[in-house]
Amino acid sequence: MNAAIANLLTIVLFLVIFYFLLIRPQQKRQRAIQQMQASLKKGDKIVTIGGLHGIIDSVDEDKIIVRAGDGTRLTFDRTAVREVVAENKA
């Protein structure tokens, strides 16, 4: 009986450790990415998941138009943005 309780407590302890070391940090990262993508605005310098560097020219509900270095305007989904490098200070 005591061995069964000890085994059960060990399994529960491993699940708790697994949650705090793997699941919870991933959820925090995902929330931060979603918040960053929701707060995109014109003039932000960004990098897409494909590695394209550009400046946001306009923002729609689920799409953004990015101006590349040579002036080319490209349309991306908001979810394609990996990071905001710098915000427009003007």
Side-chain angles (χ1 to χ4, degrees):
M1 185 70 166
N2 287 337
I5 293 174
N7 287 338
L8 182 62
L9 288 176
T10 304
I11 292 172
V12 169
L13 179 65
F14 277 121
L15 290 175
V16 168
I17 290 171
F18 183 77
Y19 174 78
F20 280 106
L21 291 180
L22 296 175
I23 296 173
R24 191 164 179 247
Q26 178 61 31
Q27 288 175 340
K28 281 185 171 184
R29 277 191 297 273
Q30 189 63 33
R31 265 187 255 123
I33 290 170
Q34 288 174 344
Q35 183 179 7
M36 177 272 300
Q37 290 171 345
S39 66
L40 293 172
K41 59 187 179 302
K42 183 177 180 173
D44 286 349
K45 294 181 183 179
I46 61 159
V47 179
T48 66
I49 57 175
L52 179 105
H53 292 247
I55 299 172
I56 296 180
D57 196 41
S58 68
V59 179
D60 196 357
E61 212 165 295
D62 11 325
K63 295 180 186 160
I64 60 170
I65 297 178
V66 178
R67 192 172 62 246
D70 64 350
T72 306
R73 292 169 42 128
L74 304 164
T75 303
F76 286 93
D77 287 340
R78 276 182 184 253
T79 58
V81 177
R82 183 180 71 201
E83 66 179 305
V84 175
V85 178
E87 294 180 2
N88 187 10
K89 304 286 182 186

